[in-house]
Amino acid sequence: MKSVILVGSTGSIGTQTLEVIRRYNEEFSVLGLACYSNVDLLNKQIKEFNPKYVCIVDKSKRDMLISGNYKLVDTIDELSDIDADITLNAVVGISGLNVTLNVLKRGGSLALANKESMVTGGQLINANRDKYFGKILPVDSEHSAIFQCLNFEKPTCEVHKLILTASGGAFRDYSLEQLKNVTAKDALKHPNWSMGQKITIDCATMMNKGLEVLEAMYLYDLPQEQVDIVIHKQSIVHSMVEFVDGAVLAQLGYPSMIVPIQLALTFPNRKYSGTEYLDFSKITELNFAKPDFTRFPVLKIALDVAKVQGIMPIVMNGCNEVLVDRFLKGQINYLEIAYYLEKVLNKFENNRIESVEQILEVDNLARAMTTKLMR
Ligand code: NAD
Ligand code: MG
């Protein structure tokens, strides 16, 4: 039986992870559960999965937790120090950084959904993974697709390019004129995937694909030039690997996060997932197009950041987290996201990353600068 610690259990990835564990409950035991503040759902999960450790970050909700045979852990960082066979990081934002680092520092297996930790701490994360022989199993569907196309191995010099597919988000077909008036409510209507709010907004600006390019660069140790993006509106091809001889391998399936989540848990084995099998007779077309930087300037900004790396991905991520929050609250409009990202990035000089403390400091500075400029 594999023990699982699930950080971010009440979210979109978290609840789907528990669906997998529920289906294969004779193979997995839930060792730990953590969330930010959704105590009602966490209580239901505690009842059903009987974890040994529980963490709720919002202290004001602690006395609402049901009693049980578990130990209350103060922080998600502490929870991730506990030895589990697999720790799945499904937290949103840079708050997941220490979870990712801690699991690798104890040489553990990390199922990684929290892309923001890879974007901000990639170099440090890889150094720790290699030093302590930790393992990262990608949960993000594109990165899982690549992992599968690479036959679960690291890329060799035979890999020419990784090709990430992008649905294009809620505003894929909007004109620049239309984009002036879109709201968070419009952005939350994603055509193909049902996800948490932050990532859904990131899809609508295409920041998500920018973050995923950085995530792929660090996961697969490749420069930005070897990670391409193609718009693929059906979300059937989840990503591809092009080899030096011109052969391209792709992973296909109907859009479902259950498949990559389950594979990260059952790796190296595959199991029935309950996901509908592809019916090729019903797929009349698969379209591919270049991303449009004029309508999606945020993606261009993110790719420029990916080229230079250093502290710039941290600045961009911190600034973006603040901007997405403001956009969700209706305090800034859609086009201002690109505007402020550019402005904040221009205030920073690039530098090397030496430590996790420095990452968190740069993140704080970027957030403060964003807030200051928006006044
Ligand atoms: P979500 O908002 O639905 O859930 C986030 C979870 O993290 C919740 O359980 C919440 O309580 C917890 N959380 C939030 N802030 C926290 C904090 N500061 N400390 C501790 N816990 C906190 O988000 P999601 O859509 O499930 O996404 C989670 C991560 O997975 C993100 O990094 C996202 O980019 C990535 N991801 C999501 C999907 C998807 O389909 N939802 C796909 C690929 C990658
Ligand atoms: Mg993805």
Side-chain angles (χ1 to χ4, degrees), residues 5-15 18 30 32-46 51 53-62 64-66 70-77 79-80 88-92 95-96 99:
I5 290 180
L6 174 55
V7 194
S9 66
T10 57
S12 159
I13 295 289
T15 51
L18 291 174
V30 176
L33 291 173
C35 77
Y36 188 76
S37 69
N38 188 347
V39 68
D40 293 340
L41 183 52
L42 185 60
N43 277 338
K44 283 191 191 135
Q45 295 177 343
I46 293 171
Y53 301 93
V54 168
C55 170
I56 185 155
V57 176
D58 182 348
K59 290 200 168 88
S60 68
K61 299 281 172 64
R62 284 189 188 170
M64 291 161 72
L65 280 171
I66 50 165
Y70 62 81
K71 182 174 181 301
L72 189 63
V73 179
D74 223 30
T75 64
I76 55 170
D77 296 3
L79 184 68
S80 58
L88 197 148
N89 186 355
V91 166
V92 61
S95 322
V99 171

Side-chain angles (χ1 to χ4, degrees), residues 13 61 80 84 86 90 102 105 115-116 168 208 232 248 264 286 291 293 299 323 368:
I13 295 289
K61 299 281 172 64
S80 58
I86 304 174
N102 288 351
K105 277 185 189 165
K115 62 189 80 181
E116 295 90 346
N208 184 51
H232 167 50
V248 177
L286 294 175
F293 295 139
L299 179 58
L323 295 172

